[in-house]
Amino acid sequence: MKILVVGGAGYIGSHMVKMLLGAGHEVVTLDNLSNGHRDAVLGGKLVVGDLSDRGLLRQLFREHDFAGVMHFASFIEVGESVREPLKYYRNNLANTVNLLQAMVEHDVFAFIFSSTAAIFGEPQAIPIDETHPRNPINPYGRSKWMVEQVLADVDQAHGLKSVCLRYFNAAGADPEGQLGERHDPETHLIPLVLQAAAGRREAITVFGSDYDTPDGTCIRDYIHINDLCQAHLLALEHLLAGGDSRAYNLGNGQGFSVREVIDTARAVTRRDIPVIESERRPGDPARLVADSTRARQELGWRPAYSELATIIEHAWRWEQTFFGRQRLAATA
Ligand code: UDP
């Protein structure tokens, strides 16, 4: 089947493109390369362009007979979304509407959407299942929840079927070592911890150690990037088989504190990782842990890499190979 992957040059999208190609699909990636990397698209066709370009979208859908669309192209920084909400609503909401419009006009009715745990806001119960109230507390989370609501209306009006996948903390790297996380600037805990282990940064700053958790640091649910992509593949198969619109929370169901992540990284890398204790980061709930029972039951999803040590090991291999090569090139 031919699949359009929007944002296929980014962290999650690039792993998805690789997995789709491995599963025998034909892939067209659309990415504006604002945060993605051309060399992260390991196969298929790459079209460099932006979702705001409706002419380009029309042309793309006329040219290709897509069976489905996966959409990863959004901004993801909570703090930035508070400072620049319109940037988030323009890209994450309005540009997604452009994409949906093109799909409806060209009779493409299967859509996989990257949603987020941020749509739930401050958790009222842990673990968080799909029935948890949606109460996002920042423009990033609101932009994603708005798209979920748009999707319900578009299904109702046009029969466009979608699966919304609410990610908890995507982490790790391609087990074969070809791909990994390359955000610039990097804001995520695990790559930052590994940068400290590699000596690329002096220390890891721990944002808050006075939370109501056993060791005082925040607890998150880290899910391996390949397990995350596997869920997308199953969701796509569900829609291509004529399945109905659904939403799933995707995590390991197991929470780890910031301190546990640092300790596990010390064990995996056998390096010293200096820590700086700092203030809380605004907007961080103490605990976010997913209940992914629905995805397991309905999609038959079975995460393969649920150990935190494995997730960190794969991310460490990427840090050493990719950034190690970059360092060598810079000193050559
Ligand atoms: N965190 C931290 N230091 C950092 C980056 C993150 O202590 O340099 C904490 C952050 O406060 C949160 C957890 O690590 O509790 C995971 O943060 P991340 O930004 O990776 O993902 P988020 O949970 O915000 O999606």
Side-chain angles (χ1 to χ4, degrees):
M1 298 271 193
K2 194 184 269 197
I3 308 299
L4 174 64
V5 180
V6 185
Y11 170 46
I12 303 176
S14 62
H15 288 77
M16 192 69 238
V17 169
K18 178 176 172 173
M19 192 176 281
L20 284 166
L21 292 168
H25 292 290
E26 221 181 310
V27 178
V28 176
T29 293
L30 173 66
D31 200 297
N32 64 10
L33 299 182
S34 62
N35 289 306
H37 306 272
R38 188 181 284 277
D39 62 357
V41 183
L42 296 182
K45 182 181 162 76
L46 170 64
V47 177
V48 178
D50 199 274
L51 286 179
S52 61
D53 187 346
R54 295 175 62 185
L56 171 70
L57 283 175
R58 240 173 266 125
Q59 190 189 328
L60 202 60
F61 278 82
R62 262 202 305 267
E63 205 176 310
H64 301 277
D65 188 15
F66 295 122
V69 176
M70 291 186 169
H71 181 27
F72 298 91
S74 59
F75 296 137
I76 58 166
E77 282 180 47
V78 169
E80 184 186 50
S81 81
V82 174
R83 290 190 305 275
E84 294 183 69
L86 295 176
K87 174 176 173 178
Y88 276 69
Y89 291 121
R90 187 177 309 114
N91 187 46
N92 295 7
L93 178 62
N95 283 349
T96 302
V97 169
N98 288 345
L99 178 60
L100 295 172
Q101 176 94 49
M103 289 180 67
V104 168
E105 282 170 9
H106 294 85
D107 299 328
V108 182
F109 292 121
F111 187 66
I112 309 292
F113 179 59
S114 298
S115 188
T116 170
I119 65 165
F120 298 112
E122 191 65 43
Q124 295 178 7
I126 295 283
I128 300 173
D129 70 11
E130 289 79 2
T131 62
H132 187 288
R134 267 71 70 173
N135 187 21
I137 54 173
N138 52 59
Y140 166 64
R142 272 191 285 275
S143 71
K144 292 286 187 171
W145 174 231
M146 285 176 189
V147 171
E148 289 207 17
Q149 291 170 286
V150 169
L151 286 170
D153 290 340
V154 173
D155 183 0
Q156 184 83 33
H158 304 291
L160 189 153
K161 301 296 172 191
S162 62
V163 177
C164 297
L165 299 173
R166 288 93 173 244
Y167 309 160
F168 282 62
N169 287 61
D174 172 27
E176 291 170 359
Q178 286 182 289
L179 296 166
E181 204 161 350
R182 286 157 75 182
H183 295 117
D184 187 18
E186 187 55 74
T187 60
H188 293 123
L189 180 65
I190 291 178
L192 290 174
V193 166
L194 296 178
Q195 287 180 12
R200 287 208 294 136
R201 74 175 43 237
E202 280 183 14
I204 180 72
T205 304
V206 173
F207 296 141
S209 29
D210 57 351
Y211 282 97
D212 184 19
T213 59
D215 69 16
T217 64
C218 284
I219 292 178
R220 292 288 179 276
D221 182 332
Y222 297 90
I223 169 174
H224 192 288
I225 183 83
N226 263 46
D227 288 336
L228 196 63
C229 290
Q230 196 63 45
H232 287 68
L233 202 55
L234 292 167
L236 179 71
E237 282 164 9
H238 160 82
L239 290 184
L240 296 181
D244 220 341
S245 292
R246 305 297 289 148
Y248 298 106
N249 293 358
L250 297 180
N252 253 317
Q254 216 187 333
F256 294 97
S257 71
V258 172
R259 249 192 255 291
E260 284 174 313
V261 168
I262 297 170
D263 287 341
T264 308
R266 286 190 176 121
V268 167
T269 63
R270 297 164 200 255
R271 303 277 181 99
D272 183 31
I273 302 175
V275 164
I276 297 171
E277 308 265 341
S278 163
E279 294 300 300
R280 291 182 178 198
R281 189 173 67 175
D284 264 344
R287 253 176 231 264
L288 283 176
V289 180
D291 180 343
S292 297
T293 310
R294 189 191 275 182
R296 289 170 185 266
Q297 285 179 346
E298 293 185 5
L299 296 175
W301 181 54
R302 296 282 172 273
Y305 305 101
S306 40
E307 296 293 324
L308 180 63
T310 311
I311 293 173
I312 293 181
E313 212 173 281
H314 292 168
W316 179 233
R317 200 182 312 154
W318 171 250
E319 163 67 37
Q320 287 186 298
T321 52
F322 181 76
F323 292 102
R325 263 202 308 270
Q326 270 199 337
R327 238 189 338 267
L328 277 180
T331 52

